[in-house]
Amino acid sequence: MPDSTPTAAPLPTPIDVGPYRCGPGENLLLIAGPCVIEDADFTVAIAHELKRITSGLPVNLVFKASFDKANRTSSGAFRGAGLEGGLKVLDRVVRETGLPVTTDIHESYQAAAAAEVCTVLQIPAFLARQTDLLVAAAQTGRSVNVKKGQFMAPWDMAHVAGKLRSAGCQNVLLCERGTFFGYGRLVNDMRSLPQMRSLGCPVVFDATHSVQEPGGLGGATGGNRAMVEPLARAAVAIGVDGLFFETHPDPDKSPSDGPNMLPLATFSDVLSRVLAIRQLVTSFS
């Protein structure tokens, strides 16, 4: 695929994401939650607050939290509650809030267990090309959200979508989360959003991981959360089907990805401004 997108790039076909539809003409899919599961009560409380914030808004909320951060910079970094413990917490979120949930899987054997709780299975960017992992996720019957590798061109995600579809998954989401720009920096090429949408899949923009600075704190990942909202605004102005935000009551005390997470207290205002732009853009389409 050439490094350009036709002016009239084809729109993706809407897909099922649990109880929701995602794609052109549908409400914005909103994937949000803390980076990692720290504590059951704490995680459930964040889910309740996100549900309150989004009540009545034109968004379809999927709660996100990872049971394991398997790609931490340092071996001594906090990784999470583990597969069994983490899924118990996510199951509690589902039961107490009624929200669909998603989490990352890193190995093929985790797919079936995660699918018993999660509406969406998320494939981390570093693992976007792992065929066995994609096939295992597809075979669960769940929707699958694949983050584009920081090292991949947007048109290369056609092969990712192809692997999932050939393994039986038609509800494929593709997610942009930035591209390597030298060492320890990511940059967003916003052309990737229409380019990936032209592959026939709804596209999610990951506004918080896009501002990461991998290894930027030496033994941990840095970031610049001040850039989260500007990038989210740009993504909805261009046209995306979903947004991904990590948020936390006190990001600076989070054991993972704190520098690029939004404070939960600011999330409502950020979301309202982003939705105002989306409403304006969709009124012209």
Side-chain angles (χ1 to χ4, degrees), residues 71 104 122-130 145-152 157 175 177-178:
N71 60 348
D104 300 294
Q122 184 166 280
I123 307 298
F126 286 130
L127 302 178
R129 290 169 54 102
Q130 296 297 106
N145 180 32
V146 187
K147 294 194 173 186
K148 179 177 73 65
Q150 301 93 324
F151 46 87
M152 293 176 67
M157 293 298 283
C175 183
R177 51 92 13 104

Side-chain angles (χ1 to χ4, degrees), residues 131-269:
T131 301
D132 290 346
L133 181 61
L134 293 169
V135 169
Q139 290 177 341
T140 66
R142 295 301 195 181
S143 305
V144 181
N145 180 32
V146 187
K147 294 194 173 186
K148 179 177 73 65
Q150 301 93 324
F151 46 87
M152 293 176 67
W155 46 87
D156 289 336
M157 293 298 283
H159 303 295
V160 172
K163 291 177 183 180
L164 289 166
R165 288 168 175 155
S166 66
C169 179
Q170 301 306 313
N171 294 313
V172 179
L173 294 161
L174 301 180
C175 183
E176 171 60 60
R177 51 92 13 104
T179 301
F180 287 138
F181 185 66
Y183 295 119
R185 293 290 302 276
L186 297 174
V187 67
N188 284 107
D189 179 358
M190 290 296 181
R191 294 175 299 178
S192 72
L193 302 176
Q195 285 169 340
M196 287 200 294
R197 280 184 111 214
S198 74
L199 302 177
C201 299
V203 169
V204 177
F205 180 72
D206 182 345
T208 44
H209 287 97
S210 289
V211 303
Q212 274 188 338
E213 296 174 0
L217 299 179
T221 294
N224 181 4
R225 71 174 66 99
M227 291 291 103
V228 170
E229 184 177 345
L231 289 176
R233 290 185 180 197
V236 295
I238 290 172
V240 289
D241 307 289
L243 287 175
F244 179 108
F245 293 99
E246 286 186 337
T247 183
H248 189 282
D250 190 351
D252 292 332
K253 293 184 179 178
S254 170
S256 177
D257 277 1
N260 45 267
M261 281 201 285
L262 287 175
L264 189 57
T266 70
F267 189 71
S268 178
D269 289 342

